Amino acid sequence: MIANVTFLRAAGRELRILGRALCDRRSCLLSKLVLLLGIAYLFVPIDLIPDRLPLIGHLDELSFVAFAFAGSRRLVPPEFIALSADESLASGDSWESVRFFVRILRADLANFFLLQYRDVDGFLITGKNSGTHWLKFMLSCALAEQFGVAPPRRSSGQEADSIIGHPRSMQNLPVPRIASSHTIPSIAFAWRFVNRLCPHPPVVVLVRDIEAAMRSNYVKWRSHYGASATDYVRGDPSGRRYVADVWWYMHFFNRWGDVLRAQPENVLLVHYEDLQAAPAIWLRRIAAHYGIELSSQAIAAAMRYVERDAIRIRLDPHDTEIVVPSEEVRRSTQFAPEDAALIGLAIRRHLRCDLGYGYPAMACSNTPV
């Protein structure tokens, strides 16, 4: 049933794109000609296959029309698809904004994780599918070497949280206690007087390019979502359908951008892409933000797990979560140009804080401290 609904939605979307391309003077002329020539065959008196033949008599007409639609759709430029998406979604923008506002309001009234667990030594807050397990495991191994304790046996599952994890799952070890979470805090943490009255430990925030993080999330949760890539890209502004979609990432970026502006000394922003390029440098900076000066031996212990394969072999075999997808799966999961255009449209409309990624039409910009 879900597959049929998804197919009908996709077919309807393709027909809308072709209809707009046919009627809009800004679209590709060749695309229009291919479609019109294919349809014109229906009215040509000469048939390649005589219509009087049962069943197969109309295969030529069906083939010409099918190839005309496929060829015409392929010739529609991505720029027109993006423009078409922008115009077609304009009428639904107000309702999306209302649902997104209600979602944000719920978090602002309820999410005080930073105060609830303020007895820890630091927070590691990460965007979903932004290298969380990788950074946690490398930093855990560095801290284990630094303070002379056993490193986590696994890079996923409960055993991965022995040094860095949720405050309720961390073991009582003689190392700094760093709480890990994907939390999106209340707007109250962007108010300076609240931070003066109720200070909390230093925070490291790890982020990743939104589209790349979404691709990773879709790989991980695709079977659970039961949705096409296009449906996932459109997302759910209310936050009920997906673990993380474009709306979740925009909420995460906006709120942590607000907190970063209010607490520039207490919040360190780390880009996943920078961490990949120079892991040793950023591990030192992250530890220094928590007040820890890592030794060369500690950095060397962490650097043993820089490669994806090193993390993969340490995964918990009993944990079904897809932490490190195979290279083949990662490469095969790409968003179509029109899907990428929808992400860009949502970002232009609702993202205020780009956290240094340079997304277009931002109201504010935050760069790493």
Side-chain angles (χ1 to χ4, degrees):
M1 181 65 181
I2 293 177
N4 291 336
V5 172
T6 300
F7 172 78
L8 291 174
R9 286 179 178 174
R13 176 171 55 85
E14 296 299 323
L15 288 174
R16 286 195 299 272
I17 291 174
L18 281 176
R20 284 176 174 268
L22 185 62
C23 299
D24 199 309
R25 59 181 176 81
R26 298 167 294 182
S27 66
C28 176
L29 177 60
L30 183 58
S31 173
K32 297 178 182 180
L33 289 175
V34 169
L35 181 59
L36 291 174
L37 287 174
I39 295 176
Y41 181 78
L42 297 174
F43 305 98
V44 174
I46 301 174
D47 288 333
L48 295 179
I49 303 176
D51 290 343
R52 64 176 179 274
L53 296 177
L55 297 179
I56 64 172
H58 295 287
L59 286 180
D60 55 339
E61 287 93 344
L62 291 174
S63 300
F64 266 88
V65 171
F67 280 116
F69 271 89
S72 178
R73 174 62 180 82
R74 191 172 185 83
L75 290 169
V76 176
E79 296 81 8
F80 179 81
I81 295 171
L83 183 61
S84 176
D86 199 336
E87 293 172 350
S88 65
L89 290 179
S91 61
D93 184 52
S94 297
W95 177 233
E96 287 180 344
S97 298
V98 169
R99 295 164 67 197
F100 192 38
F101 172 79
V102 171
R103 171 185 189 160
I104 294 170
L105 182 62
R106 289 201 310 266
D108 285 342
L109 295 175
N111 200 335
F112 293 90
F113 181 90
L114 299 181
L115 286 182
Q116 183 180 359
Y117 298 105
R118 62 184 179 275
D119 59 330
V120 300
D121 298 298
F123 292 103
L124 177 62
I125 308 300
T126 59
K128 294 178 181 179
N129 300 94
S130 300
T132 303
H133 291 83
W134 179 49
L135 176 55
K136 274 179 54 179
F137 193 68
M138 285 198 300
L139 189 56
S140 293
C141 291
L143 293 176
E145 178 67 27
Q146 182 89 357
F147 292 92
V149 301
R153 293 181 58 249
R154 299 294 182 186
S155 58
S156 67
Q158 292 184 349
E159 292 184 79
D161 293 343
S162 59
I163 294 178
I164 300 175
H166 194 281
R168 292 196 297 265
S169 61
M170 288 188 294
Q171 298 178 10
N172 187 20
L173 299 173
V175 297
R177 300 180 69 244
I178 299 174
S180 176
S181 175
H182 299 304
T183 188
I184 302 177
S186 167
I187 185 61
F189 293 99
W191 300 338
R192 298 181 190 276
F193 77 91
V194 171
N195 296 314
R196 286 195 294 268
L197 291 174
C198 306
H200 58 78
V203 180
V204 171
V205 179
L206 177 67
V207 294
R208 184 182 186 182
D209 173 69
I210 290 178
E211 185 177 338
M214 287 179 61
R215 286 199 304 269
S216 181
N217 183 268
Y218 186 62
V219 167
K220 180 177 179 178
W221 296 98
R222 177 166 42 191
S223 60
H224 173 77
Y225 291 154
S228 68
T230 299
D231 286 340
Y232 169 70
V233 163
R234 288 180 181 272
D236 176 14
S238 68
R240 292 185 173 87
R241 184 174 182 186
Y242 301 107
V243 174
D245 56 9
V246 67
W247 302 95
W248 188 92
Y249 288 104
M250 290 190 297
H251 187 189
F252 187 91
F253 271 55
N254 285 342
R255 185 58 72 236
W256 277 110
D258 295 333
V259 176
L260 178 60
R261 285 199 307 276
Q263 306 183 51
E265 301 299 325
N266 201 37
V267 180
L268 175 66
L269 181 66
V270 180
H271 288 159
Y272 170 79
E273 297 81 3
D274 292 338
L275 183 64
Q276 277 190 314
I281 292 174
W282 279 98
L283 281 171
R284 287 189 186 277
R285 291 191 67 180
I286 290 168
H289 189 66
Y290 296 133
I292 305 166
E293 185 176 351
L294 292 178
S295 66
S296 299
Q297 293 82 2
I299 292 294
M303 294 298 287
R304 289 198 291 267
Y305 301 100
V306 168
E307 302 297 329
R308 298 176 66 87
D309 287 343
I311 296 293
R312 185 179 285 112
I313 63 176
R314 290 277 186 158
L315 294 174
D316 186 345
H318 303 294
D319 188 7
T320 58
E321 181 181 2
I322 303 176
V323 175
V324 186
S326 67
E327 193 67 24
E328 181 181 353
V329 171
R330 290 173 63 240
R331 289 179 177 176
S332 65
T333 305
Q334 299 291 331
F335 293 141
E338 53 266 39
D339 295 333
L342 287 175
I343 296 173
L345 172 61
I347 285 174
R348 290 195 300 274
R349 283 177 171 167
H350 300 286
L351 190 68
R352 294 182 291 99
C353 302
D354 68 358
L355 298 182
Y357 279 99
Y359 298 124
M362 295 298 101
C364 65
S365 177
N366 301 96
T367 54
V369 178

